[in-house]
Every structure is written in structure tokens, then in C-alpha cells.
Amino acid sequence: MSHNAVLAVISLLAEKWPFCFSIIESGRRPLKLGIRDDVLAALDGAISAGKVSAALRWYVSSPEYQHRLLHGAWRVDLNGRPAGTVSQEDEAHARAQLAAIEAKRAECASASSNSAPALNLAERMKQTSQAEQPNVPPAARLPPKSTTPPAPAKPFTVKDVRGKRPAEDAKQRPTRKPRGQIRAWRAP
């Protein structure tokens, strides 16, 4: 599945469930385990299961998402409500994934800076499988985040938007003299 197709599915999911999915990586929160089944049931065949699976795999494999998988952090359902917490095993797996991502980035950076011949596929797969072994030290632990569930944001209504606009426009308009004011006229 192409990158653009994955982004299109993620955009659709973020539009349909904005409290669960985010297009912006820094806004991603840990998803409920088994959310794929919930998405497929809610979409009722509008998008194929393969496309949803590929999009969710891409979504949860981002480094920002992996950074958010901290022990005790809330997982969210489609409506953004708490649906379980992140376990220690999930956090350890996320740290291993981050270490593998960093190792891969370092390998790519060193390969591009060196003029040494590129590793063949078998050597790269061997190094990747070694990086994913449990004896790899986990990435540096992030400071703990609050484990209280976030308050759901109130969506804007048309009334809210219309109510705010005149106030914003009033700040930008130059002040005028009130109508009906009589001005003195002098003859030249």
C-alpha cells in the first residue's frame, strides 16, 4: 500500500474519530488493544480490512507513538475515552522498537557518510534481528506523564465560531466616529 494511501486512511480515521486518531504525530495517544476490530465494525466495509490494518500498523510504528507507550498511561477507544492502560511489557516492547529505529537511523547515517559498500539484505536482516533481541538495553526512559485520563475537548459549534468572529474582527477594524455626529465646518 502506498504512503499516500496510508495517509488518506489515517486522515479519514482522524476526521471520523478526532478524539482517538491524530494526523499530527505529536498528538497520538496509545490506542485500545483490538481497536482494529472496532474500526472495521464502525466502517462497515467502507474501507478494506487490509487497508485499515496497514494504516494502523504505520500509525503505531511511529516513534512519537512509541514514546507515548509508558507503563500506566491510558489507552483510548474510538471516542477518546480510557480503555485500559499500557502494561510494562508493552512499554518494554516500545523501548526495543525505539532502539531498533535509532539503530537503523544511525546505520543509514553512517552508510550514507561512508563510501563503504552497502550491506546486502541478509546482513541487514541479521543486524535487525539482533537489535530486536531482549538483551538490547532499552532507550532512555522518558519522564513519567500524568496517568489521569484527559478531559475530552468540547467540539466547536457554529454558534461558538460565529460568536467569536465579530469580537476578533472588532480588534482588527479601525475605530470610527459614531454616526450622527455633527462636525464643524469652516469656510476657507
Side-chain angles (χ1 to χ4, degrees), residues 84-101:
T85 58
V86 176
S87 68
Q88 287 181 332
E89 293 81 22
D90 293 338
E91 182 181 6
H93 179 69
R95 298 297 158 231
Q97 291 293 102
L98 285 170
I101 290 169

Side-chain angles (χ1 to χ4, degrees), residues 73-88:
W74 291 101
R75 291 183 176 273
V76 294
D77 64 2
L78 290 176
N79 296 318
R81 285 182 251 138
T85 58
V86 176
S87 68
Q88 287 181 332

Side-chain angles (χ1 to χ4, degrees), residues 2-57:
S2 74
H3 183 68
N4 289 338
V6 167
L7 290 178
V9 172
I10 294 297
S11 296
L12 177 91
L13 296 177
E15 183 180 321
K16 189 160 179 68
W17 297 290
F19 298 117
C20 181
F21 296 101
S22 174
I23 296 171
I24 301 168
E25 287 189 25
S26 62
R28 294 181 181 173
R29 301 186 302 176
L31 299 175
K32 168 187 163 187
L33 296 177
I35 201 158
R36 176 187 170 271
D37 298 330
D38 296 346
V39 169
L40 290 174
L43 290 176
D44 197 29
I47 300 175
S48 72
K51 288 182 179 180
V52 170
S53 296
L56 287 175
R57 246 188 330 271

